[in-house]
């Protein structure tokens, strides 16, 4: 089987929030989506010495599921459907916005460890039109519940954040074919994945360079590949361990109209989403009530 060819590579656009340094990787100047994924922000490693208790700002969503993967730190989630959770390093916060929700997330250093490091990835997963009008849903997954396996010959490990890989299966719901892998490669390790025809797949190198199918890429590169069936060979040519994010899935076949926090299938749907939000239909967040309920 042939190795897949890269279609493009690009670096992200910076867009910080408060003291968090953030790079917008998707959408970019070449692509609006990779499979069902329409958004990727990288919150780069940041040392935080104080706890942010004020949140990053409540805001609405409709038509998507948000997925925050916390590599380091802890993420506190609130939403107007009454969901609350505090998830720590290695965990995932997933929320289906359905027909409209308001949520707020706050990234802080992990209160369970001595580390002051904050590092995360946030994805938006576009929902099929038949799901966009459904009820919101929510799932919190702590790090020790994320499916993980060691790679052969002590090459590293793979975590399945969404979708499946071999016998591993994520608890995150699938509404279409999707996969999101965190692959940790030891120095000079090589690992291969085979993808079927028509599958859209991208790779993100968050911190270190790497070689993919014999092509060298830089740290911070976002790379999309062709849709032909083929092999993806990941080679960590660094002198220390490297992390690789691989994600994608089946092409999204419906129209995509993204504006602000809403991703819908037409301009009319987007206008309705804004109207309903301004009418107060998405509800409100009761921060203290949700925190108190979690404490029991």
């Amino acid at each position: 089987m042939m190795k897949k060819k890269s279609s493009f590579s690009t670096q992200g656009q910076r867009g910080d929030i408060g003291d968090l340094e953030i790079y917008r990787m998707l959408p970019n100047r070449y692509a609006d989506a990779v499979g069902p994924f329409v958004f990727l922000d990288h919150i780069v490693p940041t040392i935080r010495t104080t706890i942010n208790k004020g949140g990053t700002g409540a805001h609405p969503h409709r038509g998507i599921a948000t997925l925050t993967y916390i590599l380091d730190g802890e993420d506190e989630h609130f939403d107007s459907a009454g969901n609350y959770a505090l998830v720590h390093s290695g965990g995932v916060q997933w929320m289906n916005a359905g027909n409209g929700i308001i949520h707020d997330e706050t990234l802080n250093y992990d209160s369970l460890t001595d580390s002051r490091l904050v590092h995360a990835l946030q994805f938006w997963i576009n929902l099929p039109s038949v799901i966009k009008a459904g009820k919101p849903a929510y799932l919190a997954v702590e790090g020790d519940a994320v499916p993980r396996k060691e790679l052969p010959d002590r090459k590293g490990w793979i975590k399945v954040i969404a979708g499946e890989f071999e016998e591993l299966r994520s608890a995150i719901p699938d509404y279409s074919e999707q996969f999101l892998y965190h692959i940790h490669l030891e120095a000079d390790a090589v690992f291969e994945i085979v993808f079927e025809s028509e599958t859209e797949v991208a790779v993100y190198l968050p911190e270190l360079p790497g070689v993919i199918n014999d092509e060298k890429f830089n740290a911070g590169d976002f790379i999309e590949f062709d849709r032909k069936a083929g092999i993806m060979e990941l080679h960590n040519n660094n002198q220390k361990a490297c992390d690789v994010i691989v994600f994608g899935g089946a092409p999204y076949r419906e129209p995509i109209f993204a504006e602000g926090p809403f991703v819908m299938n037409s301009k009319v749907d987007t206008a309705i989403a804004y109207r309903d939000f301004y009418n107060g239909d998405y509800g409100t967040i009761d921060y203290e009530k949700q925190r108190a309920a979690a404490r029991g």
Side-chain angles (χ1 to χ4, degrees), residues 19 23 28 37 71 75 82 92 110 117 208 219-220 234 254 259:
D19 63 344
Y23 287 87
N28 55 57
F37 295 90
L71 289 96
D75 184 81
V92 180
D110 198 328
L117 189 62
L208 290 174
L234 307 171
E254 300 177 276
E259 186 175 330

Side-chain angles (χ1 to χ4, degrees), residues 50 54 64 78 82 88 117 143 159 183-184 187 195 210 228 277:
T50 60
I64 58 170
F78 303 85
H88 301 86
L117 189 62
K159 287 183 178 180
I183 301 168
H184 183 82
F195 292 100
K228 297 178 181 178
F277 166 61

Side-chain angles (χ1 to χ4, degrees), residues 66-89:
T66 62
L67 187 156
T68 303
Y69 176 36
I70 306 101
L71 289 96
D72 296 282
E74 63 183 30
D75 184 81
E76 190 174 29
H77 169 98
F78 303 85
D79 67 46
S80 56
N83 300 302
Y84 171 86
L86 185 65
V87 173
H88 301 86
S89 299

Side-chain angles (χ1 to χ4, degrees), residues 197-267:
S197 176
E198 295 302 311
T199 300
E200 297 183 355
V201 56
V203 172
Y204 180 50
L205 299 171
E207 295 188 82
L208 290 174
V211 177
I212 307 172
N213 289 350
D214 307 312
E215 190 174 355
K216 294 181 179 179
F217 294 100
N218 298 317
D221 273 355
F222 175 102
I223 313 106
E224 189 172 354
F225 291 81
D226 65 37
R227 298 186 187 181
K228 297 178 181 178
I231 296 169
M232 180 175 290
E233 181 190 81
L234 307 171
H235 177 202
N236 177 15
N237 62 333
N238 300 287
Q239 298 301 307
K240 58 182 179 179
C242 173
D243 291 301
V244 183
I245 305 298
V246 180
F247 68 97
Y252 190 86
R253 301 295 188 184
E254 300 177 276
I256 300 174
F257 285 82
E259 186 175 330
F262 305 120
V263 182
M264 306 304 292
N265 297 118
S266 71
K267 290 183 178 180

Side-chain angles (χ1 to χ4, degrees), residues 4 83 93 105 132 140 147 194 219 223 239 272 282 285 292 295:
K4 295 177 71 65
N83 300 302
Q93 297 268 23
E105 285 185 277
K132 288 182 186 290
V194 175
I223 313 106
Q239 298 301 307
I272 292 171
Y282 296 178
I285 297 173
R295 296 190 196 106

Side-chain angles (χ1 to χ4, degrees), residues 113-287:
T113 70
D114 293 330
S115 173
R116 292 294 186 265
L117 189 62
V118 174
H119 185 199
L121 299 167
Q122 186 176 76
F123 296 84
W124 292 0
I125 302 168
N126 200 1
L127 301 176
S129 58
V130 294
I131 305 295
K132 288 182 186 290
K135 290 184 177 181
Y138 172 74
L139 183 64
V141 182
E142 279 287 12
D144 58 3
V146 174
R148 179 186 185 276
K149 68 183 289 186
E150 299 296 317
L151 301 180
D153 304 320
R154 298 184 177 180
K155 292 179 180 179
W157 47 257
I158 181 171
K159 287 183 178 180
V160 178
I161 312 305
E164 59 186 17
F165 178 81
E166 296 180 349
E167 76 278 11
L168 303 181
R169 173 73 184 172
S170 170
I172 301 300
D174 294 332
Y175 300 110
S176 62
E177 180 200 342
Q178 64 178 15
F179 55 87
L180 170 54
Y181 308 141
H182 176 185
I183 301 168
H184 183 82
L185 294 176
E186 297 297 335
D188 207 36
V190 177
F191 178 65
E192 291 185 353
I193 310 177
V194 175
F195 292 100
E196 300 295 328
S197 176
E198 295 302 311
T199 300
E200 297 183 355
V201 56
V203 172
Y204 180 50
L205 299 171
E207 295 188 82
L208 290 174
V211 177
I212 307 172
N213 289 350
D214 307 312
E215 190 174 355
K216 294 181 179 179
F217 294 100
N218 298 317
D221 273 355
F222 175 102
I223 313 106
E224 189 172 354
F225 291 81
D226 65 37
R227 298 186 187 181
K228 297 178 181 178
I231 296 169
M232 180 175 290
E233 181 190 81
L234 307 171
H235 177 202
N236 177 15
N237 62 333
N238 300 287
Q239 298 301 307
K240 58 182 179 179
C242 173
D243 291 301
V244 183
I245 305 298
V246 180
F247 68 97
Y252 190 86
R253 301 295 188 184
E254 300 177 276
I256 300 174
F257 285 82
E259 186 175 330
F262 305 120
V263 182
M264 306 304 292
N265 297 118
S266 71
K267 290 183 178 180
V268 171
D269 290 341
T270 304
I272 292 171
Y274 272 106
R275 181 201 67 191
D276 292 348
F277 166 61
Y278 289 123
N279 283 345
D281 295 348
Y282 296 178
T284 58
I285 297 173
D286 189 328
Y287 291 85

